[in-house]
Amino acid sequence: KHFKTRPHFDDERVEWWFGDATKSLLLLPQEYWGSFDLVLVDLSETVTSFSVTKELDVFDALSLLMKPEGVLVKNEHYMEKMSSLFDYSLELFYDSPVICSQVLIFGSNNVDFFHDPVYDHGVDTFLYGNMHDPETRYDLMHAYRKNLAPKEKCDLKIPEEPTQQDTAAGILEIVNAENVTIALDESIT
């Protein structure tokens, strides 16, 4: 609506997975693990901390989808978690005309966001100028970390098939219906 974009449901290069991330991640084909160049995450902090397996939360599992040189991007402040999983992490802070200030956090084990060369991929930008210019490259950078890989990160394992999910948060839906014109089913009360 605001950005004049639509999902590419018709593009055969894009595969859409919908559902509960704690369950959907376990349904991914084995060849997906460790195969992605880019993983974009738009989940709340609550959801990313839900368990996928006994050993992995949602964020841990998402990090295992990436190739060694892949990049994971998440909205909102998430530097501590990103730093615990990746060797390099970067926080970009920018103003958006519709949704106010916004943060994107980047994580990678092989891409040093601060020092590696940047490439112009030919994508037109409408909100911000060219970020490949050495004069403006660092303008939106708010925080950068080169992290020592913690032992726990090295112990993360791709879920084997089949994987049983031990615990997961449920969803509670409460409906307050007034002046209803249909009879309620007495058998479920």
Side-chain angles (χ1 to χ4, degrees):
K1 175 181 168 183
H2 297 289
F3 300 111
K4 307 295 186 241
T5 62
R6 292 185 303 208
H8 292 278
F9 292 118
D10 58 336
D11 190 331
E12 63 187 39
R13 298 172 300 169
V14 179
E15 187 172 336
W16 294 88
W17 287 72
F18 297 95
D20 180 341
T22 63
K23 293 172 181 57
S24 298
L25 285 166
L26 296 176
L27 299 174
L28 294 176
Q30 196 66 25
E31 62 269 15
Y32 280 24
W33 299 100
S35 69
F36 287 82
D37 295 315
L38 178 65
V39 175
L40 299 173
V41 181
D42 184 13
L43 295 171
S44 70
E45 287 189 41
T46 304
V47 174
T48 55
S49 65
F50 287 169
S51 295
V52 174
T53 66
K54 187 175 168 183
E55 298 81 18
L56 300 173
D57 64 24
V58 170
F59 206 76
D60 294 334
L62 289 168
S63 73
L64 293 173
L65 289 170
M66 298 169 20
K67 291 179 179 178
E69 67 279 4
V71 175
L72 187 140
V73 182
K74 185 191 179 317
N75 62 326
E76 301 301 331
H77 298 279
Y78 222 64
M79 181 60 91
E80 296 309 315
K81 181 67 173 182
M82 196 70 85
S83 298
S84 73
L85 290 172
F86 300 106
D87 293 336
Y88 300 97
S89 47
L90 171 73
E91 191 175 72
L92 292 183
F93 183 84
Y94 61 96
D95 290 321
S96 176
V98 176
I99 55 176
C100 303
S101 297
Q102 189 64 25
V103 173
L104 290 175
I105 184 102
F106 294 71
S108 179
N109 286 318
N110 288 305
V111 178
D112 181 344
F113 304 107
F114 198 75
H115 297 102
D116 283 358
V118 293
Y119 303 95
D120 187 347
H121 295 280
V123 176
D124 292 329
T125 59
F126 300 106
L127 188 58
Y128 291 101
N130 183 348
M131 297 185 65
H132 306 99
D133 184 338
E135 299 295 319
T136 59
R137 174 180 178 176
Y138 305 104
D139 287 356
L140 300 178
M141 291 186 185
H142 183 262
Y144 165 82
R145 289 188 186 171
K146 182 174 180 181
N147 312 295
L148 296 175
K151 182 183 180 321
E152 298 81 36
K153 181 188 96 164
C154 299
D155 292 339
L156 292 179
K157 302 288 186 246
I158 295 169
E160 294 179 16
E161 205 175 338
T163 301
Q164 180 168 343
Q165 185 178 42
D166 295 330
T167 60
I171 298 174
L172 172 65
E173 182 175 343
I174 299 172
V175 178
N176 181 9
E178 297 179 15
N179 300 321
V180 178
T181 58
I182 59 171
L184 295 176
D185 185 352
E186 300 288 330
S187 67
I188 58 174
T189 57

